Amino acid sequence: MAAWTEDELHRVDAAQEIDIAPVRRNGALRRPTPIWIVRAGDDLYVRAAYEANKGWHGVARTSGQARISITGFERDVSIEDADEAVLDQVDAAYRQKYGGYASIVDSITDAEHRVTTLRLAPREAG
């Protein structure tokens, strides 16, 4: 399995949002949706801000694939449910990165939203 490069991790750390375009059942990309993303260790994580399995989140969980992009960087990723053992680290990463948005961070780190956590892994090119 591919690993994130230090450059990619730094770009994501510096980005306020990324665009995620999950792969639909027919193989086409869904329209990109801007979302928050955090790093815990050398892994990247996202959460649904609203309901689990709806919109981009539902398509991403179903296909297990997406394309993420920020200025100057685009990568195809594999998507899997996050291991429960990492959820506290992901909460801390959201609080550190987005602490200026306290009410949203409080919401996205509650029990209902923690279970929507997805781990993004870079896919091999080709």
Side-chain angles (χ1 to χ4, degrees):
M1 179 180 289
W4 294 108
T5 67
E6 280 302 313
D7 180 61
E8 290 169 333
L9 292 170
H10 288 298
R11 285 175 184 259
V12 169
D13 280 342
Q16 185 70 10
E17 294 179 327
I18 64 158
D19 286 329
I20 188 166
V23 176
R24 296 178 184 271
R25 288 187 185 136
N26 67 3
L29 293 174
R30 184 181 186 273
R31 68 172 168 73
T33 302
I35 60 170
W36 285 356
I37 187 169
V38 295
R39 174 183 177 179
D42 289 333
D43 291 314
L44 299 177
Y45 297 91
V46 296
R47 287 185 176 162
Y50 303 104
E51 291 183 65
N53 300 316
K54 303 286 185 194
W56 74 266
H57 188 268
V59 176
R61 285 193 75 211
T62 298
S63 72
Q65 299 178 47
R67 179 170 297 153
I68 61 169
S69 58
I70 55 177
T71 303
F73 168 69
E74 187 173 87
R75 189 73 188 257
D76 290 331
V77 297
S78 295
I79 296 173
E80 62 185 35
D81 290 334
D83 188 307
E84 201 172 301
V86 77
L87 297 182
D88 288 341
Q89 292 174 26
V90 174
D91 286 349
Y94 271 106
R95 287 187 183 100
Q96 180 179 7
K97 186 171 182 178
Y98 300 107
Y101 306 94
S103 63
I104 298 170
V105 171
D106 287 346
S107 172
I108 208 166
T109 57
D110 67 13
E112 178 183 347
H113 292 90
R114 283 171 55 107
V115 299
T116 71
T117 307
L118 301 174
R119 180 178 168 269
L120 307 181
R123 288 187 17 222
E124 295 286 348

